[in-house]
Amino acid sequence: MWGSASRRVASQQRTRLAKEVGLVGVSEDGAAWLEEVGDAVLASVAVDGPATTTELRGRVPELDRRLEGWKGATSPIAGRVLTVLAAEARLLRGENELGWRSARHRW
């Protein structure tokens, strides 16, 4: 089903994000949190249809968080969760609403 590179990337991204979620205090169990949020995203898309990342953040409140990084920088968690789901072939990135110059894909 997957080539070996995709499987490795999916595993690395999931492990890394789960660890970061635990380290910054989003959840004591980052792996369980990531599984729960991933399932919520998939359920939202199944019930309500495709959505942009912004729309998914509105549907799944857990996605509307930021992870603290190096020297106080923060990054949105939504894109990281969606990347994990896509790398695992559980979610597909679809049409771009803004054309080739900008990215606002539906998932």
Side-chain angles (χ1 to χ4, degrees), residues 30-48:
W33 181 91
L34 183 52
E35 191 63 33
E36 181 179 313
V37 172
D39 289 347
V41 168
L42 297 175
S44 172
V45 171
V47 172
D48 299 319

Side-chain angles (χ1 to χ4, degrees), residues 58-69:
R59 294 181 192 176
V60 182
E62 294 86 354
L63 289 177
D64 198 20
R65 296 175 171 262
R66 296 185 74 81
L67 289 176
E68 289 184 38

Side-chain angles (χ1 to χ4, degrees), residues 2 16 23 33 46-47 54 56 65 72-73 82 86 97 99 105:
W2 296 345
R16 181 177 174 193
L23 287 174
W33 181 91
V47 172
T54 301
L56 285 170
R65 296 175 171 262
L82 298 175
E97 293 188 335
H105 293 90

Side-chain angles (χ1 to χ4, degrees), residues 66-85:
R66 296 185 74 81
L67 289 176
E68 289 184 38
W70 189 63
K71 291 192 176 184
T74 63
S75 64
I77 202 166
R80 304 270 309 275
V81 172
L82 298 175
T83 296
V84 168
L85 293 173

